Amino acid sequence: MKDVALRAGVGLKTVSRVVNGEPGVTPDTMRRVQESIEALGFRRNDSARVLRKGRTASIGLVLEDLADPFYGPMSRAVEETARAHGALLIHGSSAEDSERERELALAFCARRVDGLVIVPASDDHRYLEPEIAAGVATVFVDRPPGRIEADVVLTDNFTGARDGVAHLIAHGHRRIGFIGDQPRIHTATERLRGYRAAMADAGLPVDDSWVALGSTDPERVRSAALSMLDGPEPITALFSGNNRVTVTAVRVLSGRPRPVALVGFDDFELADLLSPAVTVIAQDAAQLGRTAAERLFRRLDGGADEPVQVLLPTRLIPRGSGELPPPADLA
């Protein structure tokens, strides 16, 4: 700072104001200081800044899988919000492994991030209690935390699934299958609950063979779909629990001699270009990430009190696959 001040012909305080973006510096003086910094090849020492201010201007994001198309917009929204607050985003994938989630979250804390945004893989987050007590702001997104109270931003999975199945019922279907994700995952169980509620609202029975929860592995989904389609009580419509299940379902249904109606939870790329185009229950992944990040920075700025739960709505997008009627002999 002394070298920069000498070269620019200003005082140390002026250099400090320019480096830290503080007011009270004329444009000409700011230009001279910045030119001196560039000419001398200096960079701000953020480690020293952290020691002085007690904040790292960084946050950690723990997702299930960065390669999943659903999490791309969410991650980008968190990053954009962090950038708007002058913070850096560090992220990693838990691969739906609770121990990996714990390792990542604590590794971020060890690097002194100011806050965490977490898509939970674990059902017990008490390991974060010391970190939260030490001032690490924490917001959960997409799924609620386990065994602690914390801010959480969720999609209304129950209502979305109920609306999707009710849409199929309104188009004449009575035998509707449901293929979802692992039963330990909050979103999967909420969507199953919505499916059952829609069937119950319409006074329709649910055969056990019409429901299949498990991994999103294509072979598992394909086997479950074929079992429902070829069983003694064949379904005429399918509600798929997430975008990965829907993609496999599209492949299975495309080879069927009779058309089968399909509504999927989550939109996905090219869904509108298929034949028929896929009707979906869309959730706004970017809004989930943005809302969670804004809540995090509000807490960091001291503007949040008791933990809150924010529930975001879904949207039904009818495109054709969910509007197919059942075959006359199965209606």
Side-chain angles (χ1 to χ4, degrees):
M1 286 180 64
K2 289 179 181 178
D3 291 341
V4 170
L6 181 63
R7 193 178 198 282
V10 300
L12 286 175
K13 182 61 178 176
T14 300
V15 176
S16 175
R17 284 175 176 161
V18 172
V19 170
N20 291 296
E22 297 174 1
V25 183
T26 66
D28 181 63
T29 300
M30 183 180 297
R31 178 185 55 76
R32 296 205 317 273
V33 171
Q34 289 172 340
E35 287 177 352
S36 296
I37 290 171
E38 291 175 8
L40 295 169
F42 289 150
R43 298 290 182 271
R44 184 175 65 190
N45 186 331
D46 281 335
S47 295
R49 187 165 174 260
V50 167
L51 290 173
R52 184 173 67 255
K53 294 192 173 183
R55 292 272 291 271
T56 63
S58 64
I59 63 171
L61 172 62
V62 181
L63 297 171
E64 176 196 346
D65 183 1
L66 284 168
D68 187 322
F70 174 75
Y71 291 114
M74 179 189 292
S75 176
R76 179 65 180 271
V78 174
E79 184 174 20
E80 288 177 348
T81 305
R83 184 181 180 189
H85 285 81
L88 178 71
L89 177 68
I90 310 169
H91 50 56
S93 301
S94 70
E96 205 60 71
D97 183 308
S98 58
E99 185 56 33
R100 175 63 177 159
E101 174 214 288
R102 182 178 184 276
E103 289 174 0
L104 276 171
L106 293 181
F108 290 157
C109 290
R111 285 160 177 77
R112 299 186 63 184
V113 296
D114 298 322
L116 293 169
V117 176
I118 300 176
V119 176
S122 172
D123 58 4
D124 187 348
H125 292 93
R126 288 176 296 175
Y127 71 86
L128 283 171
E129 286 179 334
E131 310 299 334
I132 294 173
V136 178
T138 304
V139 177
F140 293 83
V141 63
D142 193 42
R143 309 167 188 172
R147 307 184 73 176
I148 66 169
E149 293 294 322
D151 293 322
V152 57
V153 181
L154 305 172
T155 292
D156 191 350
N157 294 282
F158 169 79
T159 300
R162 185 178 62 185
D163 290 347
V165 176
H167 186 72
L168 290 167
I169 295 170
H171 284 81
H173 295 278
R174 300 295 178 265
R175 301 176 182 178
I176 303 171
F178 175 87
I179 302 179
D181 209 331
Q182 305 276 7
R184 62 183 176 79
I185 298 175
H186 169 80
T187 52
T189 57
E190 282 296 285
R191 293 168 194 175
L192 174 59
R193 194 166 70 87
Y195 160 81
R196 291 190 180 279
M199 296 292 278
D201 290 345
L204 299 175
V206 175
D207 192 283
D208 289 343
S209 66
W210 297 347
V211 176
L213 296 182
S215 78
T216 56
D217 175 75
E219 280 306 308
R220 198 282 302 185
V221 175
R222 180 176 182 276
S223 175
L226 291 176
S227 177
M228 295 178 190
L229 292 163
D230 299 329
E233 295 290 332
I235 62 171
T236 64
L238 178 65
F239 185 81
S240 53
N242 64 34
N243 54 3
R244 286 169 288 186
V245 173
T246 305
V247 168
T248 300
V250 167
R251 291 193 173 105
V252 173
L253 299 182
S254 65
R256 303 296 296 182
R258 294 184 180 189
V260 177
L262 172 67
V263 174
F265 204 109
D266 292 333
D267 206 354
F268 60 98
E269 192 173 6
L270 304 182
D272 58 328
L273 299 181
L274 297 172
S275 183
V278 181
T279 297
V280 298
I281 298 296
Q283 57 176 326
D284 193 336
Q287 186 61 31
L288 275 170
R290 189 177 304 110
T291 304
E294 287 172 350
R295 184 70 192 173
L296 184 79
F297 282 103
R298 182 182 175 193
R299 188 162 287 283
L300 284 170
D301 293 338
D305 298 314
E306 294 299 313
V308 299
Q309 175 177 292
V310 179
L311 204 59
L312 300 180
T314 57
R315 182 167 58 102
L316 172 67
I317 305 177
R319 293 189 177 125
S321 71
E323 294 70 54
L324 297 171
D329 59 331
L330 295 178

